[in-house]
């Protein structure tokens, strides 16, 4: 009673947890906690119910399995209990055998009696049932599928002889394996429970082995049999085919052979496809290296080994291609011939019995069916392999051409190499040629494909090597079928893409440089030279790199001559095409719209200066052109040599670039192309639109195998539809006005116009260039570069002299207006000629300041626009010049114009033209002749005009030691001057002579003047003016070595006192200024030199303030030089 009361008291007392909750929580919190506990309990109950419901089926299935296992365990227990009785019977049998060993005849009778007894039959059956599964498993472990299949057939025959309760046994036992019939007992003993139990156990144990054997056999067929050592591949393949035939429950006697052939080649097709899937480009190597589920074990292991060697994609590709070649040689051609036709093959240990056993289990095969299957297999897979190989090899060649050359050499050695042929013939059963002749139908394999030249294509026999090739032309060659034309087309496409890449990089670099170039007044000449030299050098290096990489692709010695001929021809054509595209792009960069504002002049001059310097350097620095454009590599020369060789051997030659047809090359001459161009060039300006160019090309190449319009369009990398869009804009725009030329030709936009030289280069594959001279390929490039250089610096000179020309013309206008409006006395007073006698003894003043000042400003511009490198000879020797296609006159290579002479000539021509045209414009009225206008001047003004004109003529035609270029542009750039069919220099000389004659005629009418004295005074005045400014204009005109100039100097080189003027108030010069030894501005110190200078200053203890200022200057200069692209360093450093 007390115990119950204590328990009730304990239950009534709250627990410690409840007490703590009551103390720490409010009533609302406790209610919330209570609700949460109830909801969690409900959730747990629901989860428990769901788990029980979902696991119910599993519980039921587990119970069924437990009952099944109980039954099997009971059967096993019965067998174990029967073992002692079996051992006793075996001992009794052994004892009876030992007792009758001395009586042989009696023993045979006893054995015969025992055979017929049920107990002996039971023992033998149970012994065979126990041993045969072990033999089958050993065969499967050794991958001996034929032994495993034979054992299964024997075992199933034994089981079928005792019972027919197993369908699989009945089907396979119906296909008698021959050698397994000895295992079948004389009578059935299946009524014995132990035998029946063992039969059932053995069947349950081996019932999956036929499927496993078939799977292993199929996996063996999915392996490369040629990679198995000791020529065991044929034995392995025959064993696999035999096992598949023995274990096929659906086979029929009539279709066994065809089914096995189809199965064999289908397996090889999967093997090749699996390898091709691994043959990926470098970008897909990492993502595509996993082995597929359907790939064989050998392929997966090979791929894992290849992936382990990654990222060497070239090595990986070479290994995979070598494996494919091995499969085609052995698995597709050689081993099928041995197995299906000869029915014999080499086996390890030369076990002829094993070969006979395997071949006896295979049916007879039809050779025609085999040949058709193998030929169609190759016809279907060779194009697929070639396409895949070309894409992968192209990606490999983009990284390293030497690796591609090594792959090419390795593939030839493994297909048509001498060692390879010896290895194929050393199998001891047949030769490679015998297998090819029996297996391959060349007509089926080569149908619709371009394989070797040995089947249908005519061959060229210029040498003994090609004669040997023609003798074996009917022999099927894996090299010719797979790789020969593949590598040839690959090289051509690689060259096309490589040259296009070079063109794109050069044009892109130049455009970025032009966009980031500093203003015209800020360009430093040595910086312009350095950066344009970098572009030209990189272009030459890129062309040389393409050539070197292409030559690394040359094949083996057996085809080196033909491959090198094709390669040199392709390089010749591709070089002409890239230079044609590049020259067209450079020329179109310089075209300016006809309505361009004058404010665009400095920007245009910057572009002209940079492009002009680049083209000048390209003319002398592209040394690779001399090799790439070797005249002996041109299509015309090679086609001519091929035609001669073909005529000598009585063959017709075809194919190739500019192939020979009927002894003719089918190529046109430059004269024919010029005729078509002249017909299309209506205005004779040397430019035709792109649409007109297409028509001219089609007309020029009519009657040949070339399509002229398509050739140019393909060369310019244009789509067929792009030309129509481009030509519409061409028709609306005036010829030669294409804006600033900022659109790149690489964007599939056709040029608006082209020149004859560009068409001659773009159509190089169908045009016969001269061997040397201006109409050769190299001469055409040099002539085009010369035209661009002269055009660039002509326009640059026009812009850069613009402000000085405006000032000169303004002063000349004031001079003409003054000469017309004032009297003679007023003229003398203004120009300090009043003190002279009226009879004209001193009537000639100094040369007009605007003339002298204009010439001095031109000299200053020349000094600011050149650097020391511009004065160096452009070529080192005459041999170099001749190799570059540059003609040298009697003066040798030093007579070739350098950059300084080119710039000087441009300034001289522009200055002379501007002076002469300005004089004619200011002295010629709209409708009256110059003579009438000069007649309105006063006599001193006419003398002054005559002095100025004679001074200009004397400076440019006598004082000028550098002369003028042999060919300059015609006077078509000035609207106020009538177009003349003579050069600017000749036209200016004519204008000056007319001015001299007109002025002299007017002065001759003045009776108070002595013309001889006047001419003498004019000459003295010119000498004084020339001596005064000789120090400054010597860079423009050269040193004056004339006798008149030397007469003004004393013996010690001082100016003669008589030449200083008696009435001159200025003191006489005791020493004349020495000629300047420097004509160039000081070069700015580079950033690196500034840094070195700072380091030196820090060594010598300069204070920190100067060091900090110097570092700030260096940082600012570096920021400027790093933000404007290639020509960023052209900015002046402050």
């Amino acid at each position: 009673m007390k115990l119950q009361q204590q328990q009730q008291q304990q239950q009534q007392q709250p627990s410690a947890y409840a007490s703590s909750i009551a103390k720490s929580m409010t009533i609302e919190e406790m209610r919330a906690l209570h609700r949460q506990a109830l909801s969690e309990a409900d959730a747990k109950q629901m989860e428990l119910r769901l788990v029980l419901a979902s696991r119910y089926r599993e519980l039921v299935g587990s119970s069924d399995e437990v009952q099944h296992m109980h039954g099997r365990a009971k059967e096993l227990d019965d067998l174990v209990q029967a073992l002692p009785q079996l051992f006793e019977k075996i001992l009794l049998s052994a004892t009876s055998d030992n007792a009758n060993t001395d009586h042989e005849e009696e023993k045979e009778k006893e054995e015969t009696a025992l055979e017929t007894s049920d107990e002996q039959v039971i023992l033998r059956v149970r012994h065979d049932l126990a041993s045969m599964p072990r033999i089958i498993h050993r065969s499967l472990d050794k991958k001996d599928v034929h032994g495993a299949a034979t054992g299964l057939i024997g075992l199933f025959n034994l089981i079928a002889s005792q019972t027919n309760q197993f369908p699989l046994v009945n089907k396979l036992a119906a296909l008698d394996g021959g050698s397994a019939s000895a295992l079948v007992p004389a009578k059935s003993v299946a009524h014995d429970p132990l035998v029946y139990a063992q039969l059932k156990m053995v069947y349950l144990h081996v019932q999956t082995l036929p499927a496993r054997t078939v799977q292993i056999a199929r996996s063996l067929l999915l392996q490369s049999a040629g990679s198995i050592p000791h020529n065991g591949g044929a034995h392995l393949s025959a064993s696999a085919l035999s096992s598949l035939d023995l274990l096929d429950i659906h086979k029929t006697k009539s279709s066994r052979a065809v089914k096995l052939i189809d199965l064999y080649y289908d397996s090889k097709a999967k093997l090749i496809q699996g390898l091709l899937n691994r043959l990926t480009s470098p970008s897909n190597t990492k993502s595509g290296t996993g082995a597929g589920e359907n790939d064989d074990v050998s392929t997966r292991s090979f791929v894992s080994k290849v992936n382990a060697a990654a990222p060497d994609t070239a090595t990986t590709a070479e290994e995979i291609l070598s494996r494919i070649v091995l499969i085609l040689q052995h698995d597709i051609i050689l081993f099928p011939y041995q197995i299906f036709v000869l029915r014999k093959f080499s086996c390890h240990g030369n076990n002829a019995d094993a070969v006979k056993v395997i071949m006896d289990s295979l049916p007879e095969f039809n050779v025609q069916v085999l040949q058709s299957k193998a030929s169609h297999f190759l016809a279907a897979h060779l194009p697929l392999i070639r396409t895949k190989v070309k894409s992968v090899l192209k990606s490999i060649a983009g990284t390293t051409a030497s690796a591609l050359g090594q792959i090419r050499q390795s593939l030839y050695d493994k297909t048509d190499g001498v060692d390879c042929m010896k290895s194929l013939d050393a199998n001891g059963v047949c030769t490679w040629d015998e297998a090819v002749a029996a297996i391959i139908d060349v007509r089926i394999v080569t149908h619709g494909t371009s394989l070797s030249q040995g089947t249908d294509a005519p061959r060229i026999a210029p040498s003994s090597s090609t004669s040997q090739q023609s003798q074996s032309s009917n022999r099927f060659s894996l090299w010719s079928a797979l790789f020969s034309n593949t590598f040839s087309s690959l090289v051509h496409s690689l060259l096309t893409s490589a040259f296009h890449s070079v063109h794109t990089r050069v044009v892109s670099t130049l455009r970025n440089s032009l966009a980031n170039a500093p203003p015209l007044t800020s360009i430093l000449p040595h910086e312009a030279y350095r950066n344009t030299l970098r572009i030209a050098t990189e272009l030459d290096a890129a062309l040389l790199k393409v050539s070197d990489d292409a030559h690394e692709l040359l094949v083996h010695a057996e085809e080196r001559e033909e491959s090198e001929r094709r390669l040199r021809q392709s390089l010749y054509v591709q070089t002409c095409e890239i230079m044609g595209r590049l020259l067209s792009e450079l020329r179109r960069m310089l075209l300016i719209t006809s309505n361009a504002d004058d404010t665009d002049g400095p920007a245009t001059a910057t572009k002209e200066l940079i492009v002009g310097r680049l083209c000048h350097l390209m003319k002398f620095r592209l040394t690779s052109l001399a090799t790439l454009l070797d005249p002996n590599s041109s299509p015309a020369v090679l086609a001519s040599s091929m035609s001669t060789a073909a005529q000598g051997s009585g063959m017709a030659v075809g194919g190739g670039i500019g192939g020979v047809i009927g002894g003719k090359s089918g190529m046109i001459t430059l004269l024919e192309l010029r005729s078509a161009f002249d017909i299309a060039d209506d205005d004779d300006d040397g430019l035709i639109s792109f649409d007109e160019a297409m028509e001219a090309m089609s007309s020029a190449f009519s009657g040949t195998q070339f399509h002229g319009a398509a050739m140019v369009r393909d060369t310019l990398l244009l789509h067929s539809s792009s030309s129509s869009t481009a030509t519409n804009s061409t028709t609306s725009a005036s010829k030669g006005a294409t804006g600033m030329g900022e659109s790149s030709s690489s964007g599939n936009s056709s040029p608006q116009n082209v020149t004859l030289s560009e068409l001659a280069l773009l159509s190089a594959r169908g045009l016969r260039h001269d061997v040397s001279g201006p109409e050769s390929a190299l001469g055409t490039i040099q002539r085009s570069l010369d035209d661009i250089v002269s055009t660039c610096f002509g326009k640059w000179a026009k812009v850069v002299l613009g402000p000085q020309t405006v000032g000169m013309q303004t002063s000349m206008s004031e001079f003409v207006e003054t000469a017309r409006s004032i009297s003679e006395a007023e003229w003398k007073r203004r120009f300090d000629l009043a003190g002279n006698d009226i009879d004209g003894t001193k009537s000639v003043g100094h040369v007009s300041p605007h003339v002298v000042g204009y010439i001095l400003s031109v000299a200053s511009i020349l000094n600011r626009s050149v650097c020391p490198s511009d004065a160096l000879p452009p070529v080192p020797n005459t041999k170099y010049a001749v190799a570059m296609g540059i003609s040298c006159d009697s003066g040798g290579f030093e007579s070739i114009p350098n950059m300084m002479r080119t710039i000087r000539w441009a300034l001289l021509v522009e200055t002379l033209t501007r002076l002469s045209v300005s004089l004619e414009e200011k002295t010629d009225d709209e409708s009256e002749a110059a003579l009438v206008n000069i007649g309105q001047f006063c006599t001193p003004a006419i003398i002054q005009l005559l002095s100025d004109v004679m001074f200009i003529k004397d400076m440019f035609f006598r004082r000028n030691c550098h002369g003028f270029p042999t060919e300059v542009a015609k006077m078509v750039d000035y609207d106020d001057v009538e177009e003349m069919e003579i050069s600017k220099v000749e036209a200016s000389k004519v204008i000056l002579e007319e001015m001299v004659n007109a002025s002299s005629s007017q002065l001759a009418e003045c009776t108070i003047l002595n013309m001889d004295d006047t001419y003498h005074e004019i000459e003295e005045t010119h000498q004084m003016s020339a001596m005064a400014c000789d120090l400054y204009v010597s860079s423009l005109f050269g040193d004056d070595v004339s006798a008149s100039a030397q007469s003004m100097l004393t013996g010690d080189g001082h100016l003669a006192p008589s030449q200083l003027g008696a009435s001159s108030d200025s003191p006489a010069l005791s020493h004349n200024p020495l000629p300047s030894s420097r004509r160039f501005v000081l070069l700015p110190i580079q950033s690196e030199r500034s840094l070195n200078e700072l380091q030196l200053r820090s060594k010598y203890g300069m204070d920190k303030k100067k060091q900090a200022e110097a570092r700030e200057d260096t940082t600012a200069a570096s920021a400027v030089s790093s933000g404007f692209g290639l020509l960023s360093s052209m900015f002046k450093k402050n």
Side-chain angles (χ1 to χ4, degrees):
M1 191 68 181
K2 293 181 180 180
L3 181 62
Q4 293 180 353
Q5 292 179 355
Q6 291 177 359
Q7 292 178 352
Q8 292 179 356
Q9 291 177 0
Q10 291 177 358
Q11 292 177 356
Q12 291 177 359
Q13 292 178 358
S15 62
Y17 177 70
S19 301
S20 63
I21 291 177
K23 292 179 181 179
S24 61
M25 292 186 178
T26 62
I27 296 177
E28 292 298 332
E29 292 176 349
M30 287 189 287
R31 288 176 179 175
L33 182 62
H34 178 66
R35 288 193 297 269
Q36 181 179 359
L38 291 177
S39 62
E40 290 180 356
D42 294 339
K44 292 296 182 180
Q45 291 178 358
M46 180 62 67
E47 183 178 357
L48 179 61
R49 288 196 295 270
L50 293 175
V51 169
L52 292 175
S54 62
R55 298 292 182 179
Y56 177 74
R57 293 183 181 274
E58 296 181 3
L59 293 174
V60 174
S62 299
S63 63
D64 294 340
E65 291 292 334
V66 170
Q67 293 179 359
H68 182 67
M69 291 172 60
H70 175 71
R72 292 298 180 91
K74 188 175 181 181
E75 293 178 2
L76 182 61
D77 182 64
D78 295 338
L79 292 174
V80 172
Q81 290 178 1
L83 284 177
Q85 298 177 2
L86 181 61
F87 289 154
E88 292 177 0
K89 293 180 180 180
I90 293 174
L91 291 175
L92 291 175
S93 176
T95 304
S96 62
D97 290 340
N98 293 329
N100 298 323
T101 55
D102 298 333
H103 306 281
E104 184 175 356
E105 295 179 357
E106 295 178 1
K107 182 179 179 180
E108 292 177 357
K109 294 179 180 179
E110 290 177 359
E111 288 178 356
T112 303
L114 290 173
E115 281 288 334
T116 58
S117 64
D118 292 343
E119 294 181 356
Q120 189 66 25
V121 172
I122 291 173
L123 290 176
R124 182 174 180 180
V125 169
R126 298 192 66 177
H127 177 269
D128 293 338
L129 290 176
S131 61
M132 290 187 67
R134 294 195 298 272
I135 296 173
I136 294 173
H137 279 288
R138 291 193 190 103
S139 299
L140 291 178
D141 293 340
K142 297 177 182 179
K143 298 296 179 67
D144 183 9
V145 290
H146 175 73
T150 305
L152 284 171
I153 294 297
L155 178 61
F156 287 163
N157 281 333
L158 176 60
I159 296 175
S161 66
Q162 303 300 319
T163 180
N164 58 356
Q165 296 182 2
F166 308 110
L168 178 62
V169 172
N170 296 333
K171 290 182 180 180
L172 291 177
L175 307 173
D176 189 1
S179 61
S181 59
L183 300 176
V184 179
K187 57 182 179 178
S188 175
V189 290
H191 60 274
D192 190 299
L194 296 179
V195 173
Y196 179 77
Q198 189 174 0
L199 286 173
K200 188 174 181 180
M201 287 186 61
V202 170
Y203 171 73
L204 293 176
H205 174 66
V206 301
Q207 64 179 350
T208 59
L209 293 184
R212 181 185 173 188
T213 305
V214 171
Q215 183 180 4
I216 294 175
R218 291 182 179 274
S219 65
L220 292 177
L221 290 179
L222 289 174
Q223 294 182 15
S224 175
S227 59
I228 298 176
H230 306 295
N231 293 323
H235 178 232
L236 190 67
S237 299
S239 299
L241 290 173
S242 176
S243 63
L244 291 174
D245 182 59
L246 290 173
L247 299 177
D248 187 6
I249 61 177
H250 302 292
K251 67 182 178 181
T252 60
K253 188 175 182 179
S254 59
S255 62
R256 286 174 62 195
V258 176
K259 188 174 182 180
L260 287 176
I261 293 176
D262 292 340
L263 178 63
Y264 179 83
Y265 280 102
D266 290 343
S267 301
K268 300 308 176 182
K270 293 180 181 178
L271 174 60
I272 293 177
Q273 186 62 42
L275 290 175
L276 289 178
N277 292 335
R278 303 303 180 272
L279 194 62
T280 56
S281 59
S283 59
N284 299 328
T285 301
K286 294 183 179 180
S287 61
T289 53
E293 296 179 357
N294 299 326
D295 294 336
D296 62 290
V297 179
S298 175
T299 302
R300 288 196 295 268
S301 62
F302 171 74
V303 171
S304 62
K305 180 176 68 175
V306 169
N307 291 340
D312 191 358
T313 310
T315 304
T316 303
E318 182 180 353
E319 293 181 2
I320 296 178
L321 290 177
S322 301
R323 188 175 177 85
I324 292 175
V325 168
L326 199 65
I327 293 172
L328 293 176
Q329 289 174 337
H330 294 84
D331 296 49
I332 306 302
I333 299 177
L334 191 61
F335 290 162
Y337 175 68
Q338 297 176 358
I339 297 172
F340 300 125
V341 179
L342 299 179
R343 300 183 68 86
K344 62 179 180 179
F345 46 83
S346 59
C347 181
H348 183 61
N350 295 324
N351 191 349
D353 295 335
V355 175
K356 187 176 184 304
V357 170
I358 294 175
M359 296 311 303
D360 289 343
S361 64
L362 291 174
E364 294 291 336
F365 298 95
N366 191 333
V367 179
Q368 284 74 19
V369 174
L370 175 63
Q371 186 183 57
S372 176
K373 182 65 179 179
S375 301
H376 283 90
F377 180 90
L378 291 175
H381 286 82
L382 289 182
L384 180 64
I385 296 173
R386 285 197 300 268
T387 303
K388 189 70 174 180
V389 166
K390 184 176 180 179
S391 62
V392 174
L393 293 182
K394 187 174 182 180
S395 63
I396 294 175
T399 57
T400 167
S402 59
L404 189 61
Q406 295 175 0
I407 292 176
R408 184 173 191 171
Q409 182 66 41
S410 175
L411 291 177
Y412 177 80
D413 293 338
K414 295 176 181 178
T415 52
D416 279 8
V418 177
D419 295 337
C420 177
M421 291 293 103
K422 290 182 179 179
S423 176
L424 292 174
D425 294 340
N427 56 77
V429 178
C430 65
T431 63
W432 169 255
D433 292 337
E434 293 174 354
V436 169
I439 295 294
I440 303 300
D441 188 351
V442 180
R443 294 175 299 175
I444 297 177
V445 176
T446 60
H447 177 67
T449 60
S450 57
L451 300 183
S452 63
Q453 297 178 354
T455 56
D456 299 325
R459 300 185 62 87
I460 306 170
S463 62
S464 59
S465 60
T466 55
S467 299
Q468 296 174 359
Q469 292 176 358
S470 63
Q471 294 175 1
S472 60
S473 59
N474 293 326
R475 182 175 66 87
F476 175 78
S477 170
L478 279 178
W479 168 257
S480 300
L482 278 178
F483 304 116
S484 180
N485 289 339
T486 301
F487 273 96
S488 298
S489 60
L490 176 64
V491 170
H492 182 75
S493 60
L494 287 177
L495 288 178
T496 301
S497 59
F499 278 111
H500 178 52
S501 177
V502 171
H503 168 79
T504 303
R505 290 199 304 269
V506 171
V507 173
S508 176
T509 303
L510 181 58
R511 288 189 181 279
N512 292 334
S513 301
L514 293 176
N516 298 321
L520 179 63
T521 56
S522 301
I523 291 182
L524 300 178
H526 71 284
E527 295 288 352
Y529 169 80
R530 185 185 66 182
N531 289 280
T532 52
L533 177 63
R534 183 182 305 170
I535 297 177
T537 305
E538 290 178 354
L539 174 59
D540 182 63
L543 293 177
L544 190 61
K545 180 67 165 54
V546 171
S547 176
D548 293 341
D549 290 346
H551 279 86
E552 289 184 4
L553 302 179
L554 286 179
V555 295
H556 32 271
E558 287 79 359
E559 291 185 356
R560 182 174 298 276
E561 181 179 355
E562 178 67 17
S563 299
E564 187 173 3
R565 183 189 66 81
R566 293 181 182 178
L567 180 59
R568 288 190 292 107
Q569 178 175 322
S570 184
L571 285 172
Y572 182 94
V573 173
Q574 298 276 4
T575 304
C576 289
E577 291 175 353
I578 185 180
M579 292 307 299
R581 291 194 300 267
L582 185 58
L583 291 174
S584 177
E585 191 76 22
L586 292 174
R587 180 184 56 81
R588 288 185 287 120
M589 283 183 183
L590 306 175
L591 297 179
I592 309 172
T593 53
S594 56
N595 56 352
D597 298 334
D598 294 338
T599 55
D600 296 335
T604 303
T606 301
K607 180 185 298 185
E608 304 286 351
L609 177 63
I610 296 173
V611 175
R613 280 185 170 273
L614 175 61
C615 292
H616 185 270
L617 290 173
M618 287 172 57
K619 180 179 178 181
F620 303 102
R621 297 304 179 102
L622 296 183
T623 57
S624 58
L625 294 181
T627 303
L628 294 173
L629 298 180
D630 183 9
N632 295 326
S633 303
S634 65
V637 174
L638 293 177
S640 177
S641 61
M642 291 165 56
S643 175
T644 303
Q647 291 176 2
S649 59
M651 293 184 179
V653 184
I657 302 176
V660 183
I661 299 178
K664 297 181 180 179
S665 63
M667 305 176 71
I668 67 172
T669 61
L670 185 60
L671 181 61
E672 295 172 337
L673 181 62
R674 182 181 288 111
S675 299
F677 185 89
D678 293 339
I679 294 175
D681 189 11
D682 298 331
D683 48 3
D684 295 334
D685 62 347
L687 291 173
I688 59 175
S689 65
F690 184 76
D691 193 15
E692 293 173 345
M694 295 299 99
E695 296 178 0
M697 292 295 292
S698 299
S699 175
F701 284 93
S702 61
T704 67
Q705 74 271 27
F706 299 100
H707 301 283
M711 185 194 310
V712 175
R713 189 177 291 109
D714 294 341
T715 304
L716 292 174
L717 306 175
L718 304 175
H719 297 300
S720 300
S721 60
S722 64
S723 59
S724 59
T725 305
T727 51
N728 292 334
S729 61
T730 306
T731 305
S732 60
S734 60
K735 194 182 304 183
T738 60
M740 295 302 292
E742 297 297 333
S743 62
S744 175
S745 63
S746 60
N748 291 334
S749 60
S750 59
Q752 292 191 355
N753 47 48
V754 292
T755 63
L756 177 61
S757 299
E758 294 167 5
L759 288 179
L761 294 173
L762 295 175
S763 59
R765 70 183 67 177
L767 186 68
R768 287 199 299 268
H769 292 108
D770 290 350
V771 177
S772 60
E775 293 187 356
S776 63
L778 188 56
T780 303
I781 295 174
Q782 298 289 10
R783 189 173 66 252
S784 300
L785 290 174
D786 286 337
D787 294 340
I788 296 177
V789 169
S790 61
T791 302
C792 286
F793 285 106
K795 294 181 179 180
W796 168 81
K798 182 179 179 180
V799 175
V800 77
L801 291 178
Q804 289 78 8
T805 302
V806 172
M808 180 268 296
Q809 290 177 346
T810 302
S811 300
M812 192 169 292
S813 299
E814 294 176 357
F815 170 81
V816 172
E817 185 65 26
T818 303
R820 289 179 176 179
S821 59
I822 65 175
S823 61
E824 180 177 348
E826 180 63 20
W827 179 276
K828 292 183 178 182
R829 186 186 65 80
R830 287 188 181 184
F831 294 98
D832 197 19
L833 298 177
N836 299 325
D837 297 334
I838 301 179
D839 58 357
T841 56
K842 192 62 177 177
S843 59
V844 180
H846 296 288
V847 181
S848 298
H850 56 268
V851 175
V852 178
Y854 188 62
I855 295 176
L856 291 176
S857 63
V858 173
S860 176
I861 291 174
L862 174 63
N863 294 337
R864 295 197 307 267
S865 303
V866 294
C867 64
S869 300
D870 296 334
L872 299 176
V875 294
N877 48 54
T878 305
K879 184 179 180 180
Y880 183 94
V882 173
M884 293 297 296
I886 303 171
S887 60
C888 301
D889 53 15
S890 59
F893 72 94
E894 295 181 351
S895 62
I896 299 176
N898 53 22
M899 178 54 65
M900 179 177 288
R901 192 181 303 179
T902 301
I903 296 176
R904 181 189 291 115
W905 279 346
L907 292 173
L908 286 174
V909 172
E910 185 65 23
T911 304
L912 177 62
T913 304
R914 286 300 178 182
L915 283 172
S916 59
V917 171
S918 299
L919 284 172
E920 188 180 36
E921 289 176 351
K922 300 309 176 183
T923 58
D924 189 5
D925 204 356
E926 295 181 357
S927 59
E928 297 180 353
L931 182 61
V932 178
N933 295 327
I934 292 176
Q936 298 176 4
F937 294 174
C938 60
T939 301
I942 297 176
I943 296 175
Q944 185 64 43
L945 178 61
L946 177 62
S947 176
D948 293 344
V949 173
M950 292 180 65
F951 180 77
I952 295 172
K953 184 179 177 182
D954 180 74
M955 293 295 290
F956 282 91
F957 295 101
R958 185 198 62 81
R959 174 70 169 78
N960 182 15
C961 301
H962 304 290
F964 293 96
T966 55
E967 295 181 2
V968 293
K970 298 177 181 179
M971 295 184 59
V972 295
D973 295 335
Y974 307 103
D975 299 333
D976 297 337
V977 181
E978 182 181 0
E979 182 176 348
M980 298 172 141
E981 292 298 331
I982 57 176
S983 65
K984 291 181 179 181
V985 176
E986 295 297 329
S988 300
K989 188 174 183 180
V990 170
I991 293 174
L992 294 177
E993 290 178 351
E994 290 179 354
M995 294 294 298
V996 171
N997 294 334
S999 302
S1000 300
S1001 300
Q1002 288 292 329
L1003 293 176
E1005 297 177 359
C1006 182
T1007 58
I1008 61 175
L1009 286 178
N1010 187 346
M1011 294 302 300
D1012 295 336
D1013 296 340
T1014 302
Y1015 286 141
H1016 180 69
E1017 292 181 9
I1018 290 175
E1019 182 179 357
E1020 291 181 352
T1021 304
H1022 290 174
Q1023 292 177 359
M1024 291 293 298
S1025 300
M1027 289 296 298
C1029 61
D1030 183 71
L1031 177 65
Y1032 308 100
V1033 300
S1034 60
S1035 60
L1036 183 63
F1037 296 108
D1039 295 331
D1040 191 3
V1041 294
S1042 60
S1044 58
Q1046 296 297 328
S1047 63
M1048 304 209 38
L1049 300 176
T1050 60
D1052 55 358
H1054 296 168
L1055 192 63
S1058 59
Q1059 304 298 334
L1060 297 176
S1063 61
S1064 176
D1065 297 333
S1066 59
L1069 293 176
S1070 58
H1071 294 282
N1072 292 325
L1074 295 176
S1076 176
S1077 61
R1078 179 178 54 82
R1079 287 290 179 266
F1080 313 101
V1081 296
L1082 289 175
L1083 303 182
I1085 299 175
Q1086 301 298 320
S1087 301
E1088 295 81 7
R1089 296 180 181 178
S1090 299
L1091 186 58
N1092 293 335
E1093 184 180 355
L1094 291 177
Q1095 295 174 353
L1096 292 175
R1097 290 180 179 178
S1098 62
K1099 285 184 178 180
Y1100 291 112
M1102 293 191 66
D1103 57 331
K1104 296 183 179 180
K1105 181 177 180 180
K1106 291 184 179 181
Q1107 292 180 5
E1109 292 176 355
R1111 288 195 184 95
E1112 291 177 358
D1113 294 340
T1114 305
T1115 303
S1118 300
V1120 172
S1121 62
S1122 61
F1124 295 92
L1126 184 61
L1127 297 181
S1128 59
S1129 56
M1130 285 181 165
F1131 285 100
K1132 288 184 177 180
K1133 280 69 172 185
N1134 295 326

